[in-house]
Amino acid sequence: MIRLAQLALLARLSGKVIRWQPLLGAFLLTAVVLAWPHDEPLTWKGTVWSLRVIAVLVTLAVVFVLDDVAAEVLAPVPVPLAARTGLRLGFALLCVTPVWGVSLLVLAPGMPAVWIWWSTVELAGLLAAGLAGAATLATRYGMREPGVAAAPGVVGGWLLLFVLPGPVAMFTLRPQDWTAAHLRWSLLLVAGLAVLIRMSRDPARR
């Protein structure tokens, strides 16, 4: 059983070794997207695309939280892999949640209310998929810096979504396709979480 003292020590050490630079960079770029001057007010479609850009920026940054370049620093803390991963994800979510909330507050007035939910589902799907990829690289392939490889995968996957044909389109703005498209986003979210949870378990328990 994990002791509170062990978790506190791990949290302190994890906070010191996590790569914060990508998160800070993503937040600065998000501020640029939010403050970008437009000659004309954004349409609701332009607002949705601004949120999509912010979502991929945030995802690109978050995949780096699983980098373990200082594994020898954390090794003396005998806690399960799931706890170590969970703490890192917790740090990331504490940073991402207010940034996404501010983005919605700034941009939401210009789009249909349903897109507050849809855009958040898209963000969650991207985060789950990106983190699942990083966790797989770290756990199955022993990479100390999975974010370096996962980040290009996030960009490639995001671009791939643009070319998906109509019946399986993910980036759609047609009202008749919203529900079906975001059902697929939800499936991506569930699949990503399943892989992330599996890759966050110690090998003997898989």
Side-chain angles (χ1 to χ4, degrees):
M1 186 173 180
I2 304 174
R3 296 179 180 178
L4 185 59
Q6 291 175 323
L7 280 176
L9 176 59
L10 180 64
R12 187 167 65 251
L13 292 175
S14 296
K16 292 180 179 179
V17 301
I18 285 177
R19 291 185 183 276
W20 295 106
Q21 296 91 335
L23 282 168
L24 293 175
F27 299 159
L28 288 175
L29 289 174
T30 295
V32 171
V33 172
L34 294 176
W36 191 263
H38 296 279
D39 294 333
E40 297 179 3
L42 280 177
T43 65
W44 73 267
K45 292 183 178 181
T47 299
V48 169
W49 278 108
S50 293
L51 285 172
R52 285 172 170 169
V53 169
I54 291 171
V56 76
L57 288 173
V58 168
T59 302
L60 283 171
V62 167
V63 296
F64 285 92
V65 302
L66 297 183
D67 283 6
D68 203 15
V69 294
E72 66 278 3
V73 176
L74 301 180
V77 186
V79 295
L81 176 61
R84 300 198 300 271
T85 302
L87 278 171
R88 288 171 178 261
L89 298 181
F91 279 125
L93 289 177
L94 282 174
C95 296
V96 168
T97 300
V99 171
W100 186 249
V102 169
S103 299
L104 290 176
L105 285 174
V106 172
L107 297 173
M111 65 183 184
V114 69
W115 274 99
I116 296 176
W117 169 249
W118 288 148
S119 296
T120 303
V121 170
E122 291 182 11
L123 169 68
L126 282 175
L127 286 174
L131 287 167
T136 300
L137 292 170
T139 304
R140 180 155 294 180
Y141 299 101
M143 293 185 63
R144 288 286 185 89
E145 300 181 58
V148 175
V154 169
V155 174
W158 192 71
L159 293 176
L160 179 63
L161 297 180
F162 283 94
V163 299
L164 291 177
V168 291
M170 303 280 276
F171 287 140
T172 180
L173 293 175
R174 300 196 309 170
Q176 63 268 33
D177 296 331
W178 289 353
T179 301
H182 287 89
L183 176 59
R184 291 188 281 274
W185 278 104
S186 299
L187 291 175
L188 177 64
L189 170 60
V190 171
L193 287 175
V195 173
L196 179 59
I197 291 171
R198 179 171 175 77
M199 291 297 107
S200 297
R201 299 174 65 187
D202 290 307
R205 297 186 178 184
R206 288 182 205 145

